[in-house]
């Protein structure tokens, strides 16, 4: 991975992380201020809590991606240490899907006349779980690469002893 690509990715990560922290702070401020509508037509407090938690899952994934990019730059990504970050990313994606399903459940009573919205929201949650499965497959590929790297190192050591 080239220096330009690493710098560009890190710049994007910083911008997204800064933006999510800002939005999260606004959500917490709104929670503390209690600015829900007087008529109670929208359950804003639970939705704001869900938004804060959902943004938190994205932030966790962003930090792990930053760490993996650092490992790529150093040439240490094909090691057992990378699994920790990939596992946390998978967990964050699953948590995001669960948070989304909670938002769908809270929104569902208001969609009785148009249940298609709830079905679409549920479909989005399933798609997010699909992303977690894709990352799990990528984790398996990383495991194979690490195993091959270890095997190659052992063969090289054996060859060194023979020579």
């Amino acid at each position: 991975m080239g220096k330009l690509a690493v710098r560009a990715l890190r710049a994007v990560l910083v911008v997204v992380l800064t933006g999510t922290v800002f939005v999260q702070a606004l959500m917490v401020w709104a929670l503390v201020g209690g600015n829900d509508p007087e008529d109670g037509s929208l359950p804003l407090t639970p939705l704001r809590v869900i938004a804060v938690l959902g943004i938190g899952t994205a932030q966790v994934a962003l930090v792990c991606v930053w760490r993996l990019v650092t490992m790529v730059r150093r040439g240490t990504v094909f090691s057992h240490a990378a699994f920790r970050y990939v596992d946390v990313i998978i967990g964050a994606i699953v948590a995001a899907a669960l948070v989304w399903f909670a938002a769908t459940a809270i929104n569902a009573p208001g969609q009785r006349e148009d249940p298609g919205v709830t079905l679409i929201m549920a479909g989005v949650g399933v798609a997010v779980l699909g992303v977690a499965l894709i990352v799990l497959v990528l984790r398996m590929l990383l495991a194979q690469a690490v195993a091959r790297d270890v095997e190659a190192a052992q063969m090289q050591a054996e060859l060194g002893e023979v020579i």
Side-chain angles (χ1 to χ4, degrees):
M1 189 170 205
K3 286 184 180 182
L4 181 61
V6 169
R7 286 183 182 157
L9 180 56
R10 284 187 174 167
V12 169
L13 292 174
V14 165
V15 168
V16 172
L17 191 59
T18 303
T20 59
V21 168
F22 179 72
V23 170
Q24 205 172 32
L26 289 176
M27 289 288 188
V28 170
W29 182 262
L31 278 170
V32 172
N35 295 329
D36 282 352
E38 297 282 333
D39 63 358
S41 60
L42 290 173
L44 288 182
T45 299
L47 288 174
R48 285 182 181 140
V49 170
I50 286 172
V52 168
L53 293 174
I55 291 169
T57 62
Q59 290 167 339
V60 167
L62 289 170
V63 170
C64 289
V65 168
W66 182 282
R67 296 294 301 154
L68 287 170
V69 168
T70 301
M71 293 179 80
V72 166
R73 193 71 193 125
R74 292 181 183 158
T76 60
V77 75
F78 294 113
S79 66
H80 292 286
F83 290 115
R84 168 180 47 206
Y85 299 114
V86 176
D87 290 341
V88 172
I89 290 171
I90 292 169
I93 295 170
V94 170
L98 295 176
V99 167
W100 183 258
F101 285 132
T104 302
I106 289 172
N107 188 48
Q111 301 297 327
R112 288 188 183 150
E113 294 172 7
D114 188 11
V117 172
T118 303
L119 291 174
I120 291 169
M121 288 180 71
V124 169
V126 171
V128 172
L129 286 175
V131 172
L133 289 173
I134 290 169
V135 176
L136 181 63
V137 169
L138 294 174
R139 184 196 185 282
M140 290 181 213
L141 292 172
L142 177 64
Q144 286 180 354
V146 169
R148 299 267 193 269
D149 196 35
V150 168
E151 185 180 336
Q154 289 172 345
M155 290 178 148
Q156 215 170 21
E158 290 175 9
L159 186 60
E161 289 176 10
V162 171
I163 295 175

